[in-house]
Amino acid sequence: REISINKLADLIIKLSDSKSTKQYLTLQEAYGEKYTDIKKRKPDLTKMYKLTNYKYQWSLEETITDLINLARQKI
């Protein structure tokens, strides 16, 4: 599904029960040079599905929660 970086950050903070806050940077501050951002990214996975018969098994929330749990195990 399509999700903004801002909403993704909110979701990660919520799922990890973090007290973190978001920090907004200009592209110049983040990358140190002029950078053209792509406003929307939504991959079309149709060709991959046809070639591999692969279909995702987990939701974005499940994937993030799994990654959070793995990261916490390594601490």
Side-chain angles (χ1 to χ4, degrees), residues 12-62:
I12 292 168
I13 290 168
K14 177 183 172 187
L15 292 175
S16 64
D17 196 29
S18 175
K19 304 297 182 230
S20 298
T21 58
K22 296 181 283 187
Q23 181 179 1
Y24 295 91
L25 303 174
T26 66
L27 293 173
Q28 181 78 23
E29 291 170 316
Y31 296 104
E33 60 184 61
K34 216 166 198 178
Y35 178 80
T36 303
D37 192 20
I38 300 169
K39 297 297 179 193
K40 288 193 170 200
R41 295 173 183 90
K42 186 175 180 185
D44 180 0
L45 302 176
T46 307
K47 187 173 182 179
M48 183 190 75
Y49 294 150
K50 285 180 183 177
L51 292 171
T52 65
N53 290 323
Y54 175 79
K55 181 72 173 159
Y56 64 86
Q57 300 173 358
W58 303 281
S59 69
L60 177 60
E61 290 80 3
E62 290 168 323

